[in-house]
């Protein structure tokens, strides 16, 4: 990996603001982070966007793909029907080794399925998980699974814990990442049957540093580095958090319009409010990771603008550079037992 | 119910700030909402607090209880050991009909167990649920179960839906409350095995107005009046939302200290920020409801101050006055089938 220049395949057609914001963000990210690009999609649409922006110093190539999977399509069905979908072609670029990472802002389900079918899993990993780095005041927490597997076996959580620990250690520089089991109380024995089965497996799993149960609030207070849960619970936690922040932000905005003092406060505090908003903005974090796929995959928010894609390129580059996947493979080979299959 | 004056039993000893804030809040609530009180706990401690405040116009009596269940005790074990615990004695006041409602700010598990063993369930309800009214810009949503039953059967969600609908209709005046199933996508077929079993039961359950799946974000955007889920999922959603709001509030505070403009903005906007904070403060909502118990039970946040208890008295009075429990019973008799037991 060391000397080969890094190249990232970007699905230029996926996302609410594709292709414009995607192409712009990819070019900005490639320039800032010094990586090459494969821009995948309808060539004329991509070229039209490229013509509008400065891209002379960026090493890119356009990879044609004639179809696009829409946000509301059923992932597996869409994949069967649209063999030449941009996200599929982009995943194949990674499989062939032309790129080392994939960035996609379209349907999460479609990107997941495209990666799974076209790139495949890391040997020994039963199911890939979606990992999301959450905003916080101090130390960020990686939540996984944030939605890839609605139903999980307790054993799967040990693999999530391993992958998450390796990611946080290598990309965020966290020594001995603290792994917590997302639960509804801190004491052992709390929670439902599923977490009660998972608890002893995590406790006895040597490669990780398990600190016990954590609660929803701990995801955002720096109390844990890696929080593991089934994909249903993780997705509900994530979307509830997004929803309440949006609501709270709107309430503050409304209150700051009520009196002239409040209006003046808003004007004076504008940049502080913008900073606060940016610090919790999913676009700032660049997107979710598909951990367990045998190629770096970053899935950006469907509503991503150029900044979100630019940051997704940063996230992908970080995972490639630190060889997160290689380290996961190595750990699996050295002792992690696969639970479902050989 | 009509002519009998309403009386509410308050566990004066439960909660981080008991007995001071509890007694104060109870007196304030009783005066504001014109109800009588039974203050349950150590008489000398209660009298000491009463001596500090004006309470002449409030109809109260002190009911002695010599023990207190602490926040970190195991609920069932504590109940077996402490027969004369304040929350137990308060529940018995409701059972005997001396009070029509219970307000408790101690351990949720202990209050739940005390209510279940001493007051009992409504006939035909298999399991009580914790219902929490969530903050929102416009229409509030009742989330249940927010933590009473970590494992649920799909059938239990229909009873939660019924109880939640009756509550929102009678207390919040919502006509035909929209019931949603908390899930990780809107389309039918999304989610885990549990919600996929629950979906058709809710869809075919005549007494409620089922609108399909809702997501975490919908809990806070006015899109649904009653959101049902198992107690594990509901508790994670609730605590994640609380955690992220706290974090976001702290980030805003930090940003508003960085520059002199920002500091001035904070001074000018102080009352707007306080208003915004109050609008999402759990104390403003008074507490969670134990729906399914055959007596009105309101469980306030363990950290409640007087304002929280004052509002809990309001919530209890509302449920008593609108005869929410009688209406649940009536609906159960008229057609809801009990699933576990006769």
């Amino acid at each position: 990996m060391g000397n080969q220049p890094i190249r990232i395949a970007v699905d230029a057609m996926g996302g609410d603001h594709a292709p414009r914001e995607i192409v712009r963000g990819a070019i900005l990210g490639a320039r800032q982070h010094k990586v090459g690009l494969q821009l995948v999609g309808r060539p004329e649409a991509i070229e039209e966007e490229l013509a509008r922006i400065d891209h002379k110093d960026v090493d890119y190539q356009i990879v044609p793909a004639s179809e696009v999977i829409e946000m509301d399509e059923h992932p597996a069905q869409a994949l069967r029907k649209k063999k030449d979908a941009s996200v599929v072609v982009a995943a194949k670029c990674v499989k062939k080794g032309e790129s080392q990472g994939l960035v996609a802002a379209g349907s999460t389900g479609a990107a997941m399925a495209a990666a799974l079918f076209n790139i495949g899993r890391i040997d020994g990993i039963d199911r890939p998980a979606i990992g999301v780095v959450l905003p916080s005041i101090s130390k960020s927490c990686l939540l996984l699974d944030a939605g890839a597997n609605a139903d999980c076996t307790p054993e799967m959580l040990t693999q999530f814990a391993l992958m998450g620990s390796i990611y946080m250690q290598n990309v965020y520089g966290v020594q001995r990442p603290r792994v917590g089991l997302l639960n509804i109380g801190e004491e052992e024995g709390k929670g439902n049957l599923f977490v009660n089965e998972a608890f002893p497996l995590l406790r006895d799993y040597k490669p990780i540093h398990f600190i016990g149960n954590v609660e929803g609030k701990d995801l955002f207070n720096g109390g844990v580095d890696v929080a593991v849960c089934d994909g249903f619970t993780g997705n509900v936690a994530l979307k509830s958090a997004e929803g309440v922040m949006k609501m709270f932000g709107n309430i503050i905005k409304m209150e700051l319009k009520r009196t002239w003092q409040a209006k003046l406060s808003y004007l004076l505090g504008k940049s502080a409010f913008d900073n606060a908003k940016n610090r919790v903005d999913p676009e700032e974090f660049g997107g979710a990771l598909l951990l367990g796929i045998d190629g770096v995959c970053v899935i950006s928010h469907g509503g991503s603008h150029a900044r979100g894609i630019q940051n997704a390129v940063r996230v992908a580059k970080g995972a490639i550079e630190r060889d997160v996947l290689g380290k996961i493979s190595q750990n699996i080979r050295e002792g992690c037992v696969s639970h479902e299959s050989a």
Side-chain angles (χ1 to χ4, degrees), chain A:
Chain A
M1 200 125 316
N3 296 323
Q4 188 193 350
I6 291 175
R7 187 177 286 276
I8 291 164
V10 177
D11 172 8
M13 311 305 287
D16 302 342
H17 307 294
R20 175 158 304 176
E21 296 288 324
I22 311 297
V23 171
R24 285 173 186 237
I27 293 292
L28 289 170
R31 180 182 296 128
Q32 185 184 357
H33 303 294
K34 300 189 176 53
V35 298
L37 288 179
Q38 289 186 298
L39 295 168
V40 186
R42 296 193 185 109
E44 61 285 11
I46 295 170
E47 273 158 10
E48 197 182 317
E49 292 311 325
L50 285 171
R52 295 174 200 269
I53 52 173
D54 169 26
H55 59 273
K56 278 191 302 288
D57 51 340
V58 173
D59 168 27
Y60 73 90
Q61 74 185 75
I62 294 174
V63 181
S66 61
E67 293 171 298
V68 179
I69 296 179
E70 304 296 338
M71 293 298 274
D72 54 356
E73 287 187 81
H74 187 281
Q77 285 170 10
L79 245 66
R80 270 195 297 276
K81 222 170 51 190
K82 297 179 171 174
K83 304 280 183 204
D84 200 37
S86 53
V87 70
V88 171
V89 175
K92 285 179 178 165
C93 291
V94 176
K95 179 66 184 174
K96 287 185 276 185
E98 296 169 6
S99 282
Q100 293 79 50
L102 165 70
V103 167
S107 146
T108 303
M112 174 90 187
L116 206 46
F117 297 147
N118 294 289
I119 307 176
R121 292 170 301 169
I122 294 176
D123 271 347
I125 293 291
D126 297 317
R127 302 278 285 274
I130 294 176
V132 173
V133 177
L134 301 172
S136 116
I137 292 227
S138 52
K139 305 186 85 172
S140 287
C141 167
L142 177 72
L143 172 72
L144 77 171
D145 178 15
N149 312 283
D151 287 291
C152 287
T153 61
E155 288 80 10
M156 284 162 66
L157 296 200
T158 59
Q159 295 195 343
F160 298 169
L162 178 74
M163 295 193 291
S165 296
I166 292 172
Y167 186 79
M168 290 309 279
Q169 182 164 354
N170 289 282
V171 177
Y172 278 73
V174 180
Q175 293 309 309
R176 281 191 90 218
R178 296 159 299 165
V179 176
L181 173 61
L182 186 57
N183 203 332
I184 62 174
E186 287 176 10
E187 306 83 6
E188 191 176 342
K190 284 269 181 179
N192 58 14
L193 297 172
F194 173 75
V195 293
N196 275 294
E197 272 190 64
F199 189 100
L201 299 180
L202 289 161
R203 186 193 54 208
D204 300 340
Y205 186 53
K206 290 285 178 306
I208 61 162
H209 174 39
F210 183 56
I211 59 164
N213 292 321
V214 296
E215 297 185 79
K217 64 184 164 61
D218 299 311
L219 300 175
F220 303 98
N221 67 10
V224 61
D225 302 308
V226 177
V228 293
C229 59
D230 66 88
F232 186 87
T233 302
N235 196 269
V236 167
L238 189 67
K239 286 182 181 160
S240 300
E242 280 182 13
V244 83
M245 273 209 291
K246 194 169 176 186
M247 182 270 293
F248 191 36
N250 285 334
I251 283 184
I252 293 172
K253 251 189 250 167
M254 280 170 65
E255 292 295 337
L256 286 174
K257 283 181 185 162
R258 280 195 200 283
T259 63
W260 69 263
Q261 289 97 330
K263 283 179 191 163
L264 189 54
S265 163
Y266 180 72
L267 288 175
L268 281 164
K270 186 90 179 59
S271 72
F273 299 129
D274 288 346
N275 286 346
K277 208 173 141 194
N278 283 343
R279 286 179 64 176
V280 297
D281 183 355
E283 292 209 36
E284 205 50 45
F285 292 82
L289 292 141
L290 276 185
L291 284 170
I293 296 288
D294 197 17
V296 168
C297 297
V298 179
I299 309 202
S300 297
H301 211 281
S304 289
H305 293 87
R307 187 166 58 95
I309 304 302
Q310 183 178 358
N311 286 321
V313 169
R314 181 197 75 222
V315 173
K317 186 197 178 194
I320 295 164
E321 236 175 13
R322 273 80 173 227
D323 191 22
V324 169
L325 305 188
K327 281 165 188 150
I328 291 175
S329 287
Q330 190 189 335
N331 268 272
I332 296 281
R333 278 195 309 271
E334 286 173 2
C336 170
V337 182
S338 174
H339 301 288
E340 282 180 12
S341 56

Coordinates of all heavy atoms in Angstrom, one line a residue, chain A residues 122-125 158-170 176-177 179 205-209 322-339:
Chain A
I122 N -14.3 -9.3 4.4 CA -13.0 -9.7 4.8 C -13.1 -11.1 5.3 O -14.1 -11.5 6.0 CB -12.6 -8.8 6.0 CG1 -12.3 -7.4 5.5 CG2 -11.3 -9.3 6.7 CD1 -12.0 -6.4 6.6
D123 N -12.2 -12.0 5.0 CA -12.2 -13.4 5.4 C -12.4 -13.5 6.9 O -11.6 -12.9 7.7 CB -10.9 -14.1 5.1 CG -11.0 -14.7 3.7 OD1 -12.1 -14.8 3.1 OD2 -9.9 -15.1 3.1
G124 N -13.4 -14.2 7.4 CA -13.6 -14.4 8.8 C -14.6 -13.5 9.4 O -15.0 -13.6 10.6
I125 N -15.0 -12.4 8.7 CA -16.0 -11.5 9.2 C -17.4 -12.0 8.6 O -17.5 -12.2 7.4 CB -15.8 -10.1 8.7 CG1 -14.5 -9.5 9.4 CG2 -17.0 -9.2 9.0 CD1 -14.7 -9.2 10.9
T158 N -19.1 -9.3 18.9 CA -17.7 -9.4 19.2 C -16.9 -9.0 17.9 O -15.9 -8.3 18.1 CB -17.2 -10.8 19.6 OG1 -17.5 -11.7 18.5 CG2 -18.0 -11.2 20.8
Q159 N -17.3 -9.3 16.8 CA -16.6 -8.9 15.5 C -16.8 -7.4 15.3 O -15.8 -6.7 14.9 CB -17.2 -9.7 14.3 CG -16.9 -11.2 14.4 CD -17.1 -11.9 13.1 OE1 -17.7 -11.3 12.2 NE2 -16.6 -13.1 12.9
F160 N -18.0 -6.9 15.6 CA -18.1 -5.4 15.5 C -17.1 -4.7 16.5 O -16.5 -3.7 16.1 CB -19.6 -5.0 15.9 CG -20.6 -5.5 15.0 CD1 -22.0 -5.4 15.3 CD2 -20.3 -6.2 13.8 CE1 -23.0 -5.9 14.5 CE2 -21.3 -6.7 13.0 CZ -22.6 -6.6 13.3
A161 N -17.0 -5.3 17.7 CA -16.2 -4.7 18.7 C -14.7 -4.7 18.2 O -14.0 -3.7 18.4 CB -16.3 -5.4 20.0
L162 N -14.3 -5.8 17.6 CA -12.9 -5.9 17.1 C -12.7 -4.9 16.0 O -11.7 -4.1 16.0 CB -12.7 -7.3 16.6 CG -11.3 -7.5 16.0 CD1 -10.2 -7.6 17.1 CD2 -11.2 -8.7 15.1
M163 N -13.6 -4.8 15.0 CA -13.4 -3.9 13.9 C -13.4 -2.5 14.4 O -12.6 -1.7 13.9 CB -14.5 -4.2 12.9 CG -14.4 -5.6 12.2 SD -15.5 -5.7 10.7 CE -17.1 -5.6 11.4
G164 N -14.3 -2.2 15.3 CA -14.4 -0.8 15.8 C -13.2 -0.4 16.5 O -12.7 0.7 16.4
S165 N -12.7 -1.3 17.3 CA -11.5 -1.0 18.1 C -10.3 -0.7 17.2 O -9.5 0.2 17.4 CB -11.1 -2.2 19.0 OG -12.1 -2.4 20.0
I166 N -10.1 -1.6 16.2 CA -9.0 -1.4 15.3 C -9.1 0.0 14.5 O -8.2 0.7 14.4 CB -8.9 -2.5 14.3 CG1 -8.5 -3.8 15.0 CG2 -8.0 -2.3 13.1 CD1 -8.6 -5.1 14.2
Y167 N -10.4 0.3 14.2 CA -10.6 1.6 13.5 C -10.2 2.8 14.4 O -9.5 3.7 14.0 CB -12.0 1.7 13.0 CG -12.2 3.0 12.2 CD1 -11.9 3.0 10.8 CD2 -12.8 4.1 12.7 CE1 -12.0 4.1 10.1 CE2 -12.9 5.3 12.0 CZ -12.6 5.3 10.7 OH -12.7 6.4 9.9
M168 N -10.7 2.8 15.6 CA -10.5 3.9 16.5 C -9.0 4.0 16.9 O -8.5 5.1 17.1 CB -11.4 3.8 17.8 CG -12.9 4.0 17.5 SD -13.2 5.6 16.5 CE -13.2 6.8 17.8
Q169 N -8.4 2.9 17.1 CA -7.0 2.9 17.4 C -6.1 3.4 16.3 O -5.3 4.3 16.5 CB -6.5 1.5 17.7 CG -5.1 1.4 18.2 CD -4.8 0.1 18.9 OE1 -5.7 -0.8 19.1 NE2 -3.5 -0.2 19.2
N170 N -6.4 3.0 15.1 CA -5.5 3.4 14.0 C -5.9 4.7 13.3 O -5.0 5.4 12.9 CB -5.5 2.2 12.9 CG -4.8 1.0 13.4 OD1 -3.6 1.0 13.4 ND2 -5.5 0.0 13.9
R176 N -5.9 1.5 23.3 CA -6.8 0.5 24.0 C -8.3 1.1 24.0 O -8.8 1.4 25.1 CB -6.4 0.3 25.5 CG -5.3 -0.7 25.6 CD -5.1 -1.0 27.1 NE -5.9 -2.2 27.5 CZ -6.5 -2.3 28.7 NH1 -6.4 -1.3 29.6 NH2 -7.1 -3.4 29.0
P177 N -8.9 1.2 22.9 CA -10.2 1.8 22.8 C -11.2 1.1 23.8 O -11.2 -0.2 23.8 CB -10.7 1.6 21.4 CG -9.4 1.4 20.6 CD -8.4 0.8 21.5
V179 N -14.5 -0.4 24.8 CA -15.7 -0.9 24.1 C -16.8 -1.1 25.1 O -16.7 -1.6 26.2 CB -15.4 -2.3 23.5 CG1 -16.7 -2.9 22.8 CG2 -14.3 -2.2 22.4
Y205 N -13.9 -11.8 25.5 CA -13.2 -11.7 24.2 C -11.9 -10.9 24.4 O -11.9 -9.7 24.5 CB -14.2 -11.0 23.2 CG -13.7 -11.0 21.8 CD1 -13.3 -12.1 21.2 CD2 -13.7 -9.8 21.1 CE1 -12.9 -12.1 19.9 CE2 -13.3 -9.8 19.8 CZ -12.9 -10.9 19.2 OH -12.4 -10.9 17.9
K206 N -10.8 -11.7 24.3 CA -9.5 -11.1 24.7 C -9.1 -9.9 23.8 O -8.5 -9.0 24.3 CB -8.5 -12.2 24.6 CG -8.5 -13.3 25.7 CD -8.0 -12.7 27.0 CE -8.1 -13.7 28.1 NZ -9.5 -14.2 28.3
P207 N -9.3 -9.9 22.5 CA -8.7 -8.9 21.7 C -9.2 -7.4 22.0 O -8.6 -6.5 21.5 CB -9.0 -9.2 20.2 CG -9.4 -10.7 20.3 CD -10.0 -10.9 21.6
I208 N -10.3 -7.3 22.7 CA -10.8 -6.0 22.9 C -10.7 -5.6 24.4 O -10.6 -6.4 25.3 CB -12.3 -5.9 22.5 CG1 -13.2 -6.9 23.3 CG2 -12.4 -6.1 21.0 CD1 -14.6 -6.6 23.2
H209 N -10.9 -4.3 24.7 CA -11.0 -3.8 26.1 C -12.4 -3.4 26.4 O -12.9 -2.3 26.2 CB -10.0 -2.5 26.1 CG -10.1 -1.8 27.4 ND1 -10.2 -2.5 28.7 CD2 -10.1 -0.5 27.7 CE1 -10.2 -1.6 29.6 NE2 -10.1 -0.4 29.1
R322 N -4.0 4.0 6.9 CA -3.7 3.3 8.1 C -3.9 1.8 8.0 O -3.8 1.1 9.0 CB -4.5 3.9 9.3 CG -3.9 5.1 10.0 CD -4.1 6.4 9.2 NE -3.7 7.5 9.9 CZ -4.4 8.6 10.0 NH1 -5.6 8.7 9.5 NH2 -3.9 9.7 10.7
D323 N -4.3 1.4 6.8 CA -4.4 0.0 6.5 C -5.4 -0.7 7.5 O -5.0 -1.8 8.1 CB -3.1 -0.8 6.5 CG -3.2 -2.2 5.9 OD1 -4.2 -2.4 5.2 OD2 -2.4 -3.0 6.2
V324 N -6.5 -0.1 7.8 CA -7.5 -0.6 8.8 C -7.9 -2.0 8.4 O -8.0 -2.9 9.2 CB -8.7 0.3 8.9 CG1 -9.8 -0.3 9.7 CG2 -8.3 1.7 9.5
L325 N -8.2 -2.2 7.1 CA -8.7 -3.5 6.7 C -7.6 -4.6 6.8 O -7.9 -5.7 7.3 CB -9.1 -3.5 5.2 CG -10.2 -2.4 4.9 CD1 -10.7 -2.6 3.5 CD2 -11.3 -2.4 5.9
G326 N -6.4 -4.3 6.5 CA -5.3 -5.2 6.7 C -5.2 -5.6 8.1 O -4.9 -6.8 8.5
K327 N -5.3 -4.6 9.0 CA -5.2 -4.9 10.4 C -6.3 -5.7 11.0 O -6.2 -6.6 11.8 CB -5.0 -3.6 11.2 CG -3.6 -3.1 11.1 CD -3.4 -1.7 11.5 CE -2.0 -1.2 11.2 NZ -2.0 0.2 10.9
I328 N -7.5 -5.5 10.4 CA -8.7 -6.4 10.8 C -8.4 -7.8 10.4 O -8.5 -8.7 11.2 CB -10.0 -5.8 10.2 CG1 -10.4 -4.5 10.8 CG2 -11.1 -6.8 10.4 CD1 -11.6 -3.8 10.2
S329 N -8.0 -8.0 9.1 CA -7.7 -9.3 8.6 C -6.6 -10.0 9.5 O -6.8 -11.2 9.9 CB -7.1 -9.3 7.2 OG -8.0 -8.9 6.3
Q330 N -5.6 -9.3 9.8 CA -4.5 -9.9 10.6 C -5.0 -10.3 12.0 O -4.7 -11.4 12.4 CB -3.5 -8.8 10.8 CG -2.2 -9.3 11.4 CD -1.2 -8.1 11.7 OE1 -1.4 -7.0 11.2 NE2 -0.3 -8.3 12.7
N331 N -5.8 -9.5 12.6 CA -6.4 -9.9 13.9 C -7.3 -11.1 13.8 O -7.3 -11.9 14.7 CB -7.2 -8.7 14.5 CG -6.4 -7.8 15.4 OD1 -6.2 -8.1 16.6 ND2 -5.7 -6.8 14.8
I332 N -8.1 -11.1 12.7 CA -9.0 -12.3 12.5 C -8.2 -13.5 12.4 O -8.4 -14.5 13.0 CB -9.8 -12.0 11.3 CG1 -10.8 -10.8 11.4 CG2 -10.6 -13.3 10.9 CD1 -12.0 -11.0 12.2
R333 N -7.1 -13.5 11.6 CA -6.3 -14.6 11.4 C -5.6 -15.1 12.7 O -5.5 -16.3 12.9 CB -5.2 -14.3 10.3 CG -5.6 -14.4 8.9 CD -4.4 -14.5 7.9 NE -3.5 -13.4 8.2 CZ -3.5 -12.2 7.6 NH1 -4.5 -11.9 6.7 NH2 -2.6 -11.2 7.9
E334 N -5.2 -14.1 13.5 CA -4.5 -14.4 14.7 C -5.3 -14.9 15.9 O -4.8 -15.1 16.9 CB -3.6 -13.2 15.1 CG -2.5 -13.0 14.2 CD -1.7 -11.7 14.5 OE1 -2.1 -11.0 15.5 OE2 -0.8 -11.4 13.8
G335 N -6.6 -15.1 15.7 CA -7.3 -15.6 16.8 C -8.8 -15.4 16.9 O -9.5 -16.0 17.7
C336 N -9.3 -14.5 16.1 CA -10.7 -14.3 16.1 C -11.4 -15.5 15.4 O -11.1 -15.8 14.3 CB -11.1 -13.0 15.4 SG -12.9 -12.9 15.2
V337 N -12.4 -16.1 16.1 CA -13.1 -17.2 15.5 C -14.3 -16.7 14.7 O -15.1 -15.9 15.2 CB -13.5 -18.2 16.6 CG1 -14.2 -19.4 16.0 CG2 -12.3 -18.6 17.5
S338 N -14.4 -17.2 13.6 CA -15.6 -16.9 12.8 C -16.8 -17.7 13.3 O -16.6 -18.8 13.7 CB -15.4 -17.2 11.3 OG -16.5 -17.0 10.6
H339 N -17.9 -17.1 13.4 CA -19.0 -17.7 14.1 C -20.0 -18.4 13.2 O -20.6 -19.4 13.5 CB -19.8 -16.7 14.9 CG -18.9 -16.1 15.9 ND1 -18.4 -16.8 17.0 CD2 -18.3 -14.8 16.0 CE1 -17.6 -16.0 17.7 NE2 -17.5 -14.8 17.1

